[in-house]
Amino acid sequence: MRRLFSIVSLLMVALCVGAASTGGALLQRCAAKIKSAPSLSVTYTVSADGNTAEGLLVLQGEMFTISTPGMVSWYDGKSQWTYSDQIGEVNVISPTAEEVQQINPFAIVKSFSSSYSSEQVKSSSAGMTTLRLTANNRKSDISSADVTINDKTLYPTRIVLTMSNRQKVTINIKNVKAGGKLPVSNFRFDAKRYPNVQVIDLR
């Protein structure tokens, strides 16, 4: 599940912001729109291996929260809290620079944009443009990604990933809403909302 958290975060921001440097005018406009928003709220479904889960992703600068049934993760730019209903506890870590590149949507933008090339492919829907990003390094976890962008809203609507093991991961983005600046507390675990939950501090 954490891997899917990373994939969703990566694709929603890095595919628009990072890939913009490849020269596509549509991607540049998409990047500008995302960067101009103080915060973004994204509802989506992610499907892999025959399983589908709904989720909510809230982004603000380097901070984010990701919520799916049974699991919530918060990141305030320094610490990450992950709560699991099944385990009934919260794990807290201070990610290393390498770990941040895996979980932080903005920290990996630079490396992502220099590691993938893009080309436009035929879209199956009118008013949509599909771009294919292909990894320059054959050892990359994500071999390629087909990103469909709404020509009017400039937000991604569908992302199909091909992993290095040939597994397909499909992300359908239901809604993207720009919002105002949020308090930092929104990106930190609030013990009052989770009474009697054990906190395991691994920092």
Side-chain angles (χ1 to χ4, degrees), residues 64-114:
F64 61 85
T65 65
I66 302 174
S67 305
T68 64
M71 186 172 289
V72 186
S73 187
W74 303 261
Y75 182 70
D76 67 355
K78 294 182 179 179
S79 297
Q80 182 192 13
W81 296 260
T82 301
Y83 169 71
S84 169
D85 278 346
Q86 184 176 4
I87 300 174
E89 64 184 29
V90 174
N91 288 321
V92 191
I93 64 171
S94 292
T96 64
E98 186 177 61
E99 289 172 332
V100 167
Q101 288 187 342
Q102 297 175 13
I103 63 174
N104 187 326
F106 285 85
I108 49 151
V109 167
K110 184 176 181 181
S111 63
F112 190 88
S113 63
S114 63

Side-chain angles (χ1 to χ4, degrees), residues 100-157:
V100 167
Q101 288 187 342
Q102 297 175 13
I103 63 174
N104 187 326
F106 285 85
I108 49 151
V109 167
K110 184 176 181 181
S111 63
F112 190 88
S113 63
S114 63
S115 300
Y116 287 76
S117 57
S118 69
E119 63 177 332
Q120 185 170 334
V121 296
K122 186 176 180 179
S123 177
S124 59
S125 302
M128 302 286 181
T129 298
T130 299
L131 301 168
R132 176 164 296 159
L133 280 78
T134 304
N136 299 324
N137 186 346
R138 293 183 179 180
K139 295 182 179 180
S140 174
D141 286 343
I142 302 175
S143 297
S144 66
D146 285 2
V147 188
T148 300
I149 297 175
N150 184 303
D151 295 339
K152 184 176 180 179
T153 67
L154 299 180
Y155 286 134
T157 60

Side-chain angles (χ1 to χ4, degrees), residues 8 12 40-46 53-59 65-68 155-159 170-178:
V8 174
M12 271 308 300
L40 284 176
S41 179
V42 183
T43 55
Y44 64 90
T45 61
V46 57
E54 295 186 352
L56 171 65
L57 169 66
V58 179
L59 299 166
T65 65
I66 302 174
S67 305
T68 64
Y155 286 134
T157 60
R158 180 180 173 89
I159 299 164
T170 301
I171 301 167
N172 287 306
I173 297 147
K174 295 181 176 181
N175 185 52
V176 181
K177 183 179 180 181

